[in-house]
Amino acid sequence: MEFLSWNIDEGVAIVTIQRPPANALSQGIIQEVDQMLDALENDSSVRVIVLHGEGRFFSAGADIKEFTEVTSGVEFSKLASSGQRVFERLETFPKPVIAAIHGAALGGGLELAMGCHLRYVAEDAKLGLPELTLGLIPGFAGTQRLPRYVGMAKAAEMLFTSEPINGIEAVEWGLANKAFPVDELLPKTVEVAKKIALKSPITLKAAIDMLQYSKHASYYDGVKAESESFGTVFESQDAQEGIQAFIEKRQPTFTGK
């Protein structure tokens, strides 16, 4: 790939965005994220994905030069829809995806990170949606995901002022899970990812499915779906291995069966 590369370490695929100097989010990167998900979904050696940026930034925003090539609102809407589809795929991906954010995640870069299941940030990272300064609004579902994480009032503040928040504030606001000094960010994120990778792939997928279900279903429908999933998971070899390992006071070995 031109803009993405990865290596696999103990079940964790560490994916690097490589488009210097700012890792600006181009249509090429979005297409390669889609292709990366195709490849890693079918790779049984991968149980967790960590996404980070090479150089100074996670991604400092969309490639504005590409906007000048768009000639109509209809075409611009199609561009937004294509990004929304890929980021929705990230959010519903059957393996956990973790964003490790340093430098800046602005505009489309933050929308990419919000599509991931978890976000770990450098303490001095900058996270924001500055699209209103361009006379635009976020187009990759930023207006929809941001309120889920930080609430309506803080989402409105971030959008209306276009001012970024730092990594520590992002944790306080609920936009990120944990903040680390920048030199510890990737090692700490990979450390967490490796712990998650020890879990059963079956239960990780089931947990992701149920979390997604909770966004749209009523409580009644949600607990009904959970009980059905609970029964399905119980019938797996991994569940029997996990129960037996607990009884025998040893670490389980999950195979995804």
Side-chain angles (χ1 to χ4, degrees), residues 2-252:
E2 184 179 358
F3 304 117
L4 297 184
S5 67
W6 62 82
N7 64 284
I8 301 170
D9 183 15
E10 296 180 25
V12 178
I14 305 168
V15 180
T16 306
I17 303 170
Q18 300 168 313
R19 191 171 185 246
N23 294 327
L25 197 68
S26 64
Q27 286 299 296
I29 289 179
I30 293 173
Q31 290 168 6
E32 289 193 6
V33 169
D34 200 23
Q35 294 164 9
M36 175 268 293
L37 295 176
D38 282 339
L40 298 185
E41 183 171 6
N42 297 314
D43 188 336
S44 61
S45 70
V46 174
R47 296 190 176 183
V48 182
I49 297 171
V50 171
L51 182 63
H52 77 113
E54 184 177 70
R56 295 173 52 206
F57 303 104
F58 176 79
S59 173
D63 186 343
I64 303 302
K65 290 181 180 178
E66 288 190 344
F67 292 177
T68 64
E69 301 169 3
V70 179
T71 59
S72 71
V74 171
E75 188 179 347
F76 207 56
S77 293
K78 289 181 179 179
L79 184 149
S81 295
S82 67
Q84 290 171 1
R85 182 192 66 78
V86 175
F87 295 174
E88 176 70 17
R89 189 176 177 199
L90 267 178
E91 192 172 45
T92 59
F93 197 65
K95 302 176 182 183
V97 184
I98 307 172
I101 302 168
H102 75 289
L106 301 173
L110 180 56
E111 289 173 301
L112 171 63
M114 287 194 292
C116 299
H117 300 113
L118 300 173
R119 281 157 298 286
Y120 293 106
V121 294
E123 293 171 344
D124 61 353
K126 300 298 181 184
L127 295 82
L129 295 176
E131 283 86 349
L132 269 67
T133 62
L134 300 175
L136 299 171
I137 63 170
F140 297 145
T143 62
Q144 303 306 299
R145 287 197 177 93
L146 186 62
R148 294 184 195 169
Y149 296 123
V150 305
M152 190 62 70
K154 290 188 180 299
E157 180 180 349
M158 288 183 69
L159 287 168
F160 297 166
T161 67
S162 300
E163 294 178 359
I165 59 176
N166 64 39
I168 294 174
E169 290 172 316
V171 174
E172 293 172 347
W173 286 27
L175 184 54
N177 297 87
K178 291 182 180 179
F180 300 104
V182 65
D183 59 337
E184 297 180 16
L185 173 64
L186 188 57
K188 291 287 189 182
T189 302
V190 172
E191 181 181 328
V192 172
K194 287 182 178 179
K195 290 180 180 178
I196 295 173
L198 296 174
K199 305 289 194 300
S200 163
I202 294 172
T203 56
L204 287 171
K205 180 182 183 303
I208 289 169
D209 288 345
M210 289 301 99
L211 288 171
Q212 296 305 311
Y213 203 88
S214 72
K215 296 176 182 177
H216 312 292
S218 67
Y219 175 80
Y220 174 80
D221 289 338
V223 294
K224 182 180 178 181
E226 182 187 87
S227 65
E228 292 172 354
S229 181
F230 186 80
T232 300
V233 168
F234 178 76
E235 293 180 344
S236 70
Q237 293 179 24
D238 278 355
Q240 302 311 307
E241 163 66 9
I243 294 168
Q244 191 63 32
F246 179 82
I247 293 171
E248 296 173 0
K249 297 182 176 166
R250 61 175 175 81
Q251 287 294 321

